[in-house]
Amino acid sequence: MGDIRSSDPYCILHIGPNRVGQTTVRTWTLNPTWNETFTIPLLHLKHPLVIEIWDFDSVGSDDILGKVELNLGDLPSNCKVEHKLNLERASDTINPRGVLYLDAFLEVPFCNEYMYPLLFFNCPHSFDHFP
């Protein structure tokens, strides 16, 4: 892992085995703000949304900083919910430190042109690497 005084973080989003999105890299910061929105069609709500936080490295491989999970089955329909999620350990990473703030909105089935639920996900707030 690189310098603990800085990071070049980005997020990778998964639902089940599927990669459903990735944020841009925010350079040289421990408190990035992405403010990026993803619209994700869902076939069911049995798999959680898993968000991995990575540190981009221009030389060598990127380092995983941690992950958070959001149980989609627990989200209320048609209501924006703000979440504050503590980073969890991801594979063989060091003990993660940080909090991810995000908004999630689950649109109920049959209320859109896709004819199944949609998840609107946004990271509007900072990721605090050292809360």
Side-chain angles (χ1 to χ4, degrees):
M1 182 106 58
D3 186 348
I4 62 169
R5 293 174 288 146
S6 69
S7 184
D8 301 315
Y10 66 94
C11 300
I12 297 177
L13 290 67
H14 297 273
I15 295 180
N18 301 314
R19 185 175 174 161
V20 295
Q22 179 174 326
T23 66
T24 56
V25 175
R26 297 292 184 234
T27 56
W28 198 251
T29 182
L30 295 177
N31 297 304
T33 298
W34 285 284
N35 200 24
E36 297 180 32
T37 301
F38 299 87
T39 301
I40 305 166
L42 303 172
L43 297 177
H44 51 74
L45 303 176
K46 70 179 183 178
H47 296 295
L49 172 66
V50 177
I51 306 167
E52 298 172 338
I53 314 296
W54 289 82
D55 180 25
F56 175 78
D57 290 326
S58 57
V59 177
S61 60
D62 296 353
D63 301 308
I64 189 161
L65 300 174
K67 69 176 184 174
V68 298
E69 291 190 16
L70 181 63
N71 186 348
L72 300 177
D74 292 341
L75 291 176
S77 298
N78 295 326
C79 180
K80 182 176 90 169
V81 180
E82 295 178 359
H83 295 273
K84 176 182 175 184
L85 303 169
N86 292 317
L87 258 64
E88 302 170 2
R89 184 180 206 126
S91 65
D92 60 350
T93 60
I94 60 170
N95 289 329
R97 292 185 287 176
V99 175
L100 182 68
Y101 300 90
L102 61 94
D103 296 335
F105 180 91
L106 180 66
E107 186 175 283
V108 296
F110 308 112
C111 292
N112 58 63
E113 66 271 17
Y114 299 106
M115 302 303 284
Y116 42 83
L118 289 177
L119 174 68
F120 298 93
F121 163 78
N122 186 23
C123 284
H125 309 290
S126 296
F127 156 69
D128 296 324
H129 189 65
F130 296 101

